[in-house]
Amino acid sequence: MTKSVKLLIAAIALIFSASVIAIILGMKKSDSTCVEVVQNNRIIYRFDLSQEENRTFRVEFPDGGWNDIKIENGKISIIDADCPDKTCVKTGVLRSECIPIVCLPHKLVIRFSDKENE
């Protein structure tokens, strides 16, 4: 085996290992129950999901857009939106600190937060 083939195999192994680690960290569930709903880098809602009752509410935006957010059994998700691709709806329930729910057309982010930040 030539030196360049060995380097190529080592690079592929390194990329594969990094990918596996990233997937494992991304799938790790959050211990936090505190959630922030942020639009344009401004917190518009903050919840402790362990204390919230099951409910659905709508977040409306100045441009006329909206997102319907559902809190159920200590979990939060976007269940409907007027954006064209509905990626935020397809994301499902917020599970990981590494992967927030994002609606790019409305610049809306739902993410876990620290209790100290309340």
Side-chain angles (χ1 to χ4, degrees):
M1 244 191 256
T2 65
K3 185 176 181 178
S4 60
V5 172
K6 289 179 183 178
L7 285 174
L8 181 62
I9 291 172
I12 291 171
L14 182 65
I15 291 170
F16 178 76
S17 299
S19 299
V20 169
I21 291 170
I23 289 170
I24 290 170
L25 291 176
M27 299 306 273
K28 180 184 171 241
K29 292 191 176 207
S30 175
D31 295 333
S32 177
T33 58
C34 294
V35 173
E36 297 173 337
V37 179
V38 180
Q39 197 222 5
N40 283 331
N41 292 324
R42 198 186 97 213
I43 298 171
I44 55 176
Y45 295 104
R46 183 175 280 139
F47 305 106
D48 185 343
L49 294 175
S50 65
Q51 298 177 0
E52 284 292 318
E53 299 208 5
N54 294 347
R55 64 186 172 123
T56 302
F57 61 96
R58 179 170 283 193
V59 177
E60 296 184 3
F61 305 99
D63 67 354
W66 52 267
N67 291 82
D68 287 338
I69 299 175
K70 182 176 186 178
I71 298 175
E72 184 175 50
N73 300 325
K75 297 179 180 176
I76 190 166
S77 61
I78 296 177
I79 58 169
D80 198 10
D82 72 335
C83 52
D85 61 1
K86 299 202 186 299
T87 301
C88 54
V89 176
K90 295 173 189 170
T91 301
V93 175
L94 180 65
R95 290 184 177 88
S96 170
E97 291 178 3
C98 300
I99 306 171
I101 299 173
V102 178
C103 182
L104 284 178
H106 298 141
K107 299 176 184 125
L108 182 79
V109 177
I110 301 176
R111 64 185 181 203
F112 285 107
S113 67
D114 296 330
K115 280 193 175 187
E116 301 95 46
N117 293 340
E118 285 189 27

